[in-house]
Amino acid sequence: MQSNSESDGRDAPVASHVLDETLPPVSSSKPVTPPPRPEDGVLKSGSTPIKNHRAVSNDFNAIPEDLDAQLVGLHAYISGRVVGPVKVEAFNRFFPDVPDRDAQPNGKAASDLVSNLNKAKCEEDMYEHLVSYFNALCPSGLDFRDKHAKPITVFEGQDIKPDIIVYAKDEDETIEAMFEVKYNEADDPFDDAREGFVTTTIRASKTLGQITGYATCHQAIEFRTHAFSALIFCTYMRLLRWDRSGVVVTDKLSFDNPLLFDFLHRFSTATAAVRGRDSTVTTARFDSPDLERKARDCLECGQKSLLNISVGNNNYIVLKDQEIGSRSPIGRSTRCLKAYWLKTNGLVLLKDTWRVVSPTLKPEHEIYEKLHKKQVPNIPQAHLGADIGKENDGLHTTQTKRCLKDVEKTLDISLRTFRHYRIVLEYLPYSLEDFNNTREMTIVFRDASIGHGTAATEAEVLHRDISNGNIMFKRHADGAVQGYLIDWDLSLDLNLASNQSAEAQPERTGTWQFLAIRLVQPKEIEKPLIQDRIDDVESFYHVFLWFALRYTAHELDSEMLTARLHENFDAMYKNPKTGKPYIGTARRANLKSGDLNDEACFANGGIQEVLLRMRHVLYQRYIDPKYTFGNSKDLEADRKAAEVKKVAGLKALEDSNWLPNLLNRILDDETVDWVTNEARVDHVLGKLPNYVSRMPKRKTESSLHSEGSRKAARKSGNATPHNRSIPN
């Protein structure tokens, strides 16, 4: 195996930890997660966790977002993660100095550009002059092109059409930066004199959402550690650097400023790694045709393009088409890839992510090591885990937080630092949505719940992100399925957590649609609530209900199903004072009353029984018999009965084996009809009824967030049916 190595970061020593190099035989060739099914107009769920109370992406959302909703959502994503205004001198220090060059730009060229831009009557009149100017100032190596008229790709259902794209003059014509041009300065989302720097007008907010969308796409369609862009107006421009923590933005920069010339020379002469390309990912090259044939046969990829990804001294071959990344501009940006391990000639699951640097969050391979040491069942084998690159190389550790010191005014924002990280896991060929029948789905849930409970009690590790994307399974030779609980990177070591105050611990974590109700109630979102094991158990219920609605037989028609999924799982409201999101009343009301289950009238007896028995215990967390029945003597007997039931329910939940034992009893109950209407049903979702308000949905921050798109070798996320262009 040969690679095109560069000196800037690719060969840096990596502190990798080999856990197990033994690979079990792989019998299934099915991708880890099937591609999205576009015919129903819904992006299939990936497991993008949410954190920091940021919003959710439409990985699970029932309704495709329109353009304005996406722009508003992207603005909300990034507005609390903007560091600026940063002086251009400080910004240019992202690049090495360029010796032996002229200190001044061509003064006449700059004055001609300004003159031509002043004559422009619309944005389109500006492109040609800007492209000519930048190409004249840059030495060989970069090519600035006007691309406003033709989309470069479709991302999240929208045509991506940056006005100017900076290409590397290499064989792949790699995109190095995207520049956006605006004719009207009222579109500038930043104000150097404004407290907080980010403006809040509608048109400025849309601009910020637009350039955030471009940066998100740029980092998703390529393997990048960061990305650069620029926002250009008639008399000035701003430079931007994006990473998984946020974005650094400069103050206004005039076209005749020597610092612009300095930036262009530094940028054009910098290595690809400094410009943001991940140098540990290269085009796959093989030592022999036989080795290439083995890799292609194992990946079942024909003659499609392949990439080589390195983790320490180990090399993995992946299909290039898998590389679509997170739909969030910030956060962990997790990619889960079906990979061929050259060292063992077998399939593995390669997870590429950005882990949160926190005293309470261990690298995921250390968590797996602890879980296996405690013999926790139904979790995948971890083969290798490692941070990528050097800790202080400025490439594989986010830099946005570090730049706060370069801002003169104090910014009231909270930023995290992320570290590039990869872990190699046992290959699991099936995601939860691949079940064949309802009994099989329930067995997979049971197995995952066994692993969850054992981890919490025996290893003292709390998962904290129970979602459909984090439950997978494999089939044994006899056809029996075995479920696995994966993605432990956001799990909490309860021993570490017990030594810290609630305020010092990471925010509540998980996937918005499945979080326990108490964590996202309006009265609770301002409190430093810490998730516990029972919150995760409740999440199992929400995931099971979501799957029952989405993939089993029931009586809801397409439009009503769409509405109920939106109300119960997707809907998000915001506190107007704090901006923190919370759920509406539907999720709590349905858990307490069971109305949604009754309305759906599930056609399989096993599904009915699981939801009924789980709900009757879990809703005791939210019922208050004294409030429900009051002090009336006529209702005293009902109140006392409810109090006894509540005590019994809460006591049952204290047992870590409650859920797997419950599922086992139902699976073993011969009176439960698992056969009638047992087949998986892929419901087509309809339009949202007019009486249901549509709200923009976002993912949450990383670290508590993915995004991304993630789960297992998912192909591109462009499966929404309504493609609209993001405006130029």
Side-chain angles (χ1 to χ4, degrees):
M1 178 78 195
Q2 297 173 342
S3 62
N4 309 328
S5 65
E6 288 181 341
S7 60
D8 36 65
R10 182 172 318 156
D11 298 322
V14 178
S16 60
H17 191 159
V18 178
L19 301 179
D20 182 6
E21 294 184 356
T22 303
L23 285 174
V26 177
S27 58
S28 172
S29 60
K30 190 171 180 63
V32 180
T33 302
R37 300 178 176 88
E39 63 271 14
D40 63 9
V42 178
L43 293 175
K44 299 303 179 211
S45 41
S47 95
T48 304
I50 87 175
K51 184 165 185 184
N52 231 4
H53 315 300
R54 292 196 64 80
V56 212
S57 126
N58 42 2
D59 279 354
F60 303 90
N61 292 335
I63 308 135
E65 293 179 326
D66 59 24
L67 176 59
D68 284 346
Q70 286 199 17
L71 295 181
V72 170
L74 287 166
H75 169 272
Y77 254 121
I78 202 67
S79 58
R81 300 292 183 269
V82 177
V83 174
V86 169
K87 298 294 183 184
V88 180
E89 298 97 319
F91 188 90
N92 284 350
R93 290 198 291 270
F94 282 122
F95 308 94
D97 194 10
V98 182
D100 302 326
R101 58 168 170 76
D102 296 333
Q104 298 293 331
N106 186 314
K108 184 178 186 307
S111 62
D112 288 346
L113 173 65
V114 173
S115 176
N116 288 325
L117 294 181
N118 286 333
K119 295 176 184 177
K121 295 181 179 179
C122 63
E123 183 180 308
E124 286 75 8
D125 293 342
M126 301 168 64
Y127 302 143
E128 180 180 355
H129 302 298
L130 288 165
V131 167
S132 298
Y133 182 68
F134 291 137
N135 278 325
L137 287 185
C138 271
S140 60
L142 296 179
D143 184 14
F144 293 76
R145 300 180 197 172
D146 173 3
K147 301 293 290 185
H148 81 281
K150 185 177 180 180
I152 59 170
T153 188
V154 177
F155 185 73
E156 285 290 86
Q158 309 296 347
D159 289 340
I160 302 299
K161 299 194 299 182
D163 296 323
I164 297 173
I165 294 182
V166 186
Y167 288 94
K169 292 181 180 178
D170 56 22
E171 59 181 16
D172 296 323
E173 289 201 323
T174 307
I175 297 174
E176 298 289 14
M178 299 181 183
F179 287 10
E180 181 60 25
V181 179
K182 294 296 180 186
Y183 182 74
N184 196 320
E185 293 182 8
D187 290 317
D188 191 347
F190 311 112
D191 183 345
D192 294 354
R194 178 186 175 87
E195 190 73 27
F197 187 48
V198 178
T199 58
T200 56
T201 64
I202 293 177
R203 62 188 302 168
S205 296
K206 287 185 177 181
T207 300
L208 182 53
Q210 181 185 1
I211 61 176
T212 301
Y214 291 159
T216 304
C217 173
H218 192 189
Q219 296 182 86
I221 63 177
E222 299 175 355
F223 281 93
R224 303 191 68 85
T225 58
H226 55 279
F228 289 93
S229 66
L231 184 58
I232 304 173
F233 298 89
C234 288
T235 60
Y236 67 91
M237 62 186 291
R238 297 182 186 275
L239 305 174
L240 301 90
R241 183 188 186 275
W242 308 77
D243 64 22
R244 303 316 306 177
S245 182
V247 58
V248 179
V249 185
T250 68
D251 54 7
K252 294 180 179 180
L253 176 62
S254 62
F255 298 109
D256 59 354
N257 192 321
L259 291 172
L260 173 57
F261 184 69
D262 183 39
F263 164 75
L264 291 172
H265 270 258
R266 288 173 183 253
F267 187 72
S268 62
T269 57
T271 64
V274 172
R275 289 200 295 256
R277 273 190 270 172
D278 184 351
S279 58
T280 66
V281 180
T282 58
T283 300
R285 305 186 190 282
F286 298 89
D287 290 334
S288 69
D290 184 59
L291 180 58
E292 180 175 2
R293 179 186 56 77
K294 288 181 180 179
R296 291 187 178 279
D297 287 348
C298 204
L299 292 170
E300 292 189 315
C301 62
Q303 294 303 308
K304 293 181 179 179
S305 298
L306 299 175
L307 298 173
N308 176 66
I309 299 181
S310 62
V311 184
N313 296 321
N314 291 270
N315 291 290
Y316 304 87
I317 305 299
V318 303
L319 183 62
K320 188 176 183 180
D321 289 349
Q322 291 185 99
E323 74 176 55
I324 192 71
S326 173
R327 298 171 179 90
S328 167
I330 54 178
R332 297 179 302 158
S333 185
T334 301
R335 289 176 167 98
C336 289
L337 306 168
K338 178 182 178 182
Y340 178 79
W341 192 357
L342 289 169
K343 186 174 183 177
T344 59
N345 296 320
L347 286 178
V348 292
L349 180 65
L350 174 61
K351 178 177 175 181
D352 178 89
T353 189
W354 290 75
R355 66 178 183 87
V356 183
V357 178
S358 166
T360 60
L361 294 176
K362 292 182 177 181
E364 191 174 7
H365 66 269
E366 294 184 15
I367 294 292
Y368 273 110
E369 189 173 29
K370 182 175 182 179
L371 295 175
H372 284 296
K373 186 176 181 179
K374 294 295 184 178
Q375 298 182 325
V376 175
N378 304 327
I379 60 171
Q381 181 65 51
H383 303 298
L384 175 71
D387 286 333
I388 305 303
K390 294 180 180 179
E391 184 175 2
N392 299 313
D393 62 5
L395 304 176
H396 297 276
T397 302
T398 55
Q399 300 296 302
T400 299
K401 184 175 182 178
R402 180 184 63 80
C403 293
L404 283 170
K405 62 180 177 53
D406 296 319
V407 180
E408 294 180 357
K409 295 182 179 180
T410 301
L411 296 175
D412 185 19
I413 60 177
S414 175
L415 296 174
R416 289 184 175 276
T417 297
F418 294 84
R419 186 79 170 84
H420 197 188
Y421 174 82
R422 291 185 181 127
I423 186 170
V424 181
L425 300 167
E426 171 187 356
Y427 176 67
L428 298 172
Y430 299 99
S431 65
L432 184 53
E433 63 188 28
D434 294 321
F435 71 90
N436 288 332
N437 56 64
T438 54
R439 183 180 180 88
E440 192 172 86
M441 183 184 91
T442 305
I443 291 172
V444 172
F445 262 87
R446 178 204 61 194
D447 292 348
S449 71
I450 291 172
H452 173 268
T454 307
T457 55
E458 300 299 323
E460 297 185 279
V461 173
L462 184 62
H463 189 278
R464 302 197 307 165
D465 187 19
I466 303 301
S467 66
N468 60 332
N470 288 340
I471 300 174
M472 302 186 73
F473 69 96
K474 64 182 179 183
R475 295 185 189 278
H476 296 289
D478 60 358
V481 297
Q482 180 179 355
Y484 288 79
L485 185 59
I486 68 169
D487 262 20
W488 292 82
D489 52 338
L490 295 180
S491 63
L492 186 64
D493 186 318
L494 298 176
N495 288 321
L496 291 177
S498 64
N499 296 326
Q500 299 199 20
S501 65
E503 290 77 7
Q505 294 184 34
E507 297 95 328
R508 62 209 84 185
T509 303
T511 302
W512 175 264
Q513 284 83 347
F514 311 124
L515 283 172
I517 294 167
R518 79 174 188 100
L519 301 175
V520 285
Q521 292 183 122
K523 294 181 180 180
E524 307 294 339
I525 59 173
E526 307 300 329
K527 300 177 182 178
L529 293 177
I530 300 301
Q531 288 165 263
D532 59 29
R533 182 188 57 78
I534 300 175
D535 291 324
D536 277 7
V537 173
E538 183 184 325
S539 292
F540 273 106
Y541 172 82
H542 298 309
V543 175
F544 196 96
L545 175 59
W546 189 89
F547 259 88
L549 289 166
R550 194 66 184 81
Y551 295 117
T552 75
H554 52 67
E555 295 186 0
L556 294 178
D557 63 24
S558 178
E559 289 198 359
M560 191 56 66
L561 172 61
T562 303
R564 295 297 177 255
L565 288 171
H566 173 76
E567 295 165 353
N568 201 74
F569 299 99
D570 301 337
M572 175 183 293
Y573 301 85
K574 260 192 0 178
N575 184 314
K577 294 182 179 180
T578 66
K580 293 187 176 182
Y582 60 89
I583 61 171
T585 59
R587 192 183 305 181
R588 176 173 176 146
N590 285 325
L591 180 65
K592 292 174 67 175
S593 68
D595 285 348
L596 176 56
N597 304 15
D598 294 341
E599 182 185 12
C601 195
F602 292 104
N604 178 261
I607 294 295
Q608 294 175 17
E609 200 68 21
V610 170
L611 289 171
L612 178 68
R613 295 199 202 179
M614 286 185 70
R615 188 185 67 77
H616 269 280
V617 174
L618 285 166
Y619 87 78
Q620 301 301 328
R621 306 185 79 198
Y622 302 105
I623 191 171
D624 183 350
K626 292 183 179 179
Y627 179 82
T628 302
F629 297 101
N631 295 318
S632 170
K633 290 187 177 180
D634 293 339
L635 300 175
E636 184 176 1
D638 293 327
R639 183 180 67 250
K640 289 182 177 179
E643 289 172 346
V644 171
K645 189 174 181 180
K646 179 179 178 69
V647 170
L650 296 181
K651 182 176 178 59
L653 290 172
E654 292 176 2
D655 181 0
S656 63
N657 293 316
W658 170 76
L659 181 54
N661 287 344
L662 174 69
L663 296 176
N664 274 328
R665 287 196 297 272
I666 299 173
L667 288 166
D668 294 339
D669 190 341
E670 295 181 356
T671 66
V672 175
D673 182 4
W674 284 100
V675 177
T676 304
N677 296 305
E678 67 175 357
R680 180 187 185 280
V681 179
D682 195 349
H683 293 283
V684 176
L685 300 186
K687 295 181 179 179
L688 189 66
N690 292 331
Y691 59 83
V692 179
S693 64
R694 294 184 58 160
M695 293 177 293
K697 302 169 223 21
R698 310 168 286 150
K699 275 184 215 181
T700 70
E701 209 235 15
S702 95
S703 333
L704 295 165
H705 282 358
S706 166
E707 19 104 110
S709 295
R710 328 187 325 164
K711 257 24 347 95
R714 191 169 299 282
K715 302 248 183 190
S716 110
N718 304 329
T720 53
H722 309 295
N723 291 343
R724 298 184 179 88
S725 297
I726 291 181
N728 293 317

